Amino acid sequence: MLIMDNIDSTVRKIDGYSLELAKKLISGGSLVAFPTETVYGLGANAYSDDAIKAIYDAKNRPLDNPLIVHVHKDYDITELVFDNDIAKKIREKFCPGPITLVYNSKNKVSPLVSCGLSTLAIRIPSHESAQKFLEYVDLPIAAPSANVSKHTSPVTALHVFEDFKDNVPLILDGGRCDGGIESTVVDVTGDYPVILRKGLVTAEDIKAVVGKCEYANDDSSLKARSPGMKYLHYAPKVQTVLFARDDLENAIAFYKQTEIDGKKPVFMCEDKISQKLDGYNVLNLGASGAQMANRLYYLLHEGEKIADIIIGIELDITDEILLGVNNRFLKAFGK
Ligand code: AMP
Ligand code: MG
């Protein structure tokens, strides 16, 4: 079968051969997908206008949604940006890890990376394979999540392949991502850090290190500061519908009606709710914020394979990581 042939030549375990191929492709301006501890990234040489344009083209990404530059842990970021004490303290505590810092840029990389903004977002991923890839290619790599724009972010190499087929020549396979949602994005250009995108590192975590940290939750200011947040995201390819936690009876009635209509429904909810749904098909997100982050995109991908309609039940926000999970969960359900 053609697809299986493609998959064998595109998705490769990380070894000397695939890393050498990755280096060749990146130096030639091509794209390489790679695993990180959050989601898979679609990488290209951050210095090359053409390579960056290829990312936007492949993803069908709006041209005003800037990219994050990924660097090796030993890379000197002052090559690219103006550093400061707040950023240094945050990096010492959380990097390498699932956090991206937005700095004032020295305008060394392609202007397409930041869509003309005067800032540049940099991340040092902790995933061993991401570190190997970055060390091997020896270049700053601009990389958004490796999904077609608006679709659910990928947490396995197969998810990447399903979105791009052979439009991406190499997908490095590092297994399933642990973190499961995209990095926390923090603006460190002001007097105190401001979180532009919620993630696994929370405001409380950052406050403990630098004293003050806020979420940019005023919608209009956030749109101006983090252009990507205004777009629809994370949607599975099947229909979705969301019910309140106290509306389980109606959710069950909807599930049954869906079956009567000849379609396959599946619930998506946290563990507490799933215990009340014995006998129904359920995508169980788990109990804690970290567990739900780990499972959310994976289960959205599963849902679109096994069902025609995913019936979501609103989450109970019991810890700070769940703020980030819930943000993606609601967007996946079109909210
Ligand atoms: P993605 O690559 O899909 O994870 O999206 C990258 C996210 O980082 C988007 O939400 C962007 O808006 C945000 N981002 C990247 N660069 C910047 C920047 N210079 N300033 C503010 N936000 C940024
Ligand atoms: Mg994305």
Side-chain angles (χ1 to χ4, degrees):
M1 216 168 74
L2 188 62
I3 286 187
M4 295 315 286
D5 286 351
N6 288 347
I7 208 171
D8 284 345
S9 58
T10 307
V11 178
R12 290 181 184 277
K13 289 267 169 276
I14 294 153
D15 55 20
Y17 176 79
S18 61
L19 286 170
E20 190 58 40
L21 185 58
K23 190 179 168 81
K24 267 193 200 137
L25 287 165
I26 291 288
S27 340
S30 291
L31 308 181
V32 173
F34 63 100
T36 81
E37 70 279 20
T38 59
V39 302
Y40 274 72
L42 185 62
N45 176 0
Y47 289 114
S48 160
D49 289 343
D50 287 345
I52 300 306
K53 188 150 185 318
I55 292 181
Y56 285 93
D57 286 349
K59 279 183 62 97
N60 198 19
R61 184 176 173 104
L63 287 165
D64 65 348
N65 186 3
L67 307 178
I68 295 168
V69 169
H70 293 65
V71 297
H72 184 260
K73 61 180 167 35
D74 298 331
Y75 184 82
D76 177 7
I77 63 155
T78 63
E79 292 275 329
L80 303 181
V81 293
F82 296 97
D83 202 6
N84 62 56
D85 287 344
I86 291 177
K88 272 184 199 141
K89 280 188 193 157
I90 296 178
R91 280 205 310 278
E92 263 164 35
K93 176 74 184 171
F94 302 109
C95 294
I99 184 168
T100 297
L101 302 186
V102 175
Y103 305 84
N104 285 314
S105 178
K106 290 187 176 171
N107 300 321
K108 294 283 170 65
V109 296
S110 162
L112 300 176
V113 171
S114 287
C115 310
L117 295 171
S118 60
T119 52
L120 183 67
I122 298 187
R123 180 159 116 75
I124 307 167
S126 63
H127 196 291
E128 201 192 335
S129 304
Q131 282 292 319
K132 268 191 199 156
F133 165 67
L134 292 165
E135 186 174 17
Y136 218 87
V137 298
D138 199 21
L139 279 169
I141 295 293
S145 51
N147 53 285
V148 168
S149 207
K150 298 192 182 78
H151 187 221
T152 310
S153 303
V155 292
T156 68
L158 187 60
H159 294 162
V160 182
F161 184 79
E162 284 164 352
D163 263 20
F164 293 104
K165 302 289 186 299
D166 48 7
N167 282 335
V168 171
L170 175 62
I171 301 167
L172 295 172
D173 186 355
R176 182 171 155 189
C177 306
D178 273 348
I181 58 171
E182 296 85 348
S183 61
T184 306
V185 176
V186 190
D187 184 334
V188 289
T189 61
D191 295 338
Y192 58 88
V194 175
I195 295 185
L196 304 179
R197 179 173 73 186
K198 299 177 180 103
L200 294 166
V201 179
T202 67
E204 282 307 314
D205 295 335
I206 296 172
K207 244 185 238 167
V209 178
V210 292
K212 185 171 178 182
C213 178
E214 284 184 2
Y215 288 110
N217 48 16
D218 163 30
D219 239 0
S220 54
S221 84
L222 180 58
K223 277 173 193 164
R225 291 171 76 173
S226 186
M229 297 304 286
K230 69 173 181 269
Y231 289 108
L232 196 70
H233 275 305
Y234 319 124
K237 288 176 179 154
V238 294
Q239 197 186 331
T240 55
V241 51
L242 190 63
F243 283 86
R245 299 171 60 75
D246 59 6
D247 201 16
L248 211 52
E249 256 177 52
N250 279 326
I252 292 172
F254 184 86
Y255 182 107
K256 289 179 177 162
Q257 187 58 47
T258 303
E259 284 187 322
I260 291 166
D261 294 344
K263 292 184 191 163
K264 280 187 267 176
V266 65
F267 284 114
M268 174 173 274
C269 57
E270 65 201 29
D271 193 50
K272 265 184 292 185
I273 300 284
S274 85
Q275 290 168 20
K276 299 178 188 168
L277 294 171
D278 219 19
Y280 299 98
N281 290 326
V282 176
L283 300 165
N284 183 348
L285 289 167
S288 66
Q291 196 169 44
M292 293 197 221
N294 170 275
R295 292 185 190 174
L296 177 65
Y297 292 150
Y298 187 82
L299 292 181
L300 284 167
H301 279 279
E302 287 304 292
E304 66 184 23
K305 283 173 196 138
I306 64 168
D308 301 307
I309 299 184
I310 305 178
I311 304 169
I313 310 295
E314 279 178 345
L315 305 180
D316 187 15
I317 309 303
T318 49
D319 68 48
E320 217 186 332
I321 291 177
L322 271 166
L323 293 175
V325 176
N326 195 44
N327 173 276
R328 276 87 169 175
F329 178 80
L330 291 177
K331 284 187 183 177
F333 283 84
K335 303 290 169 192

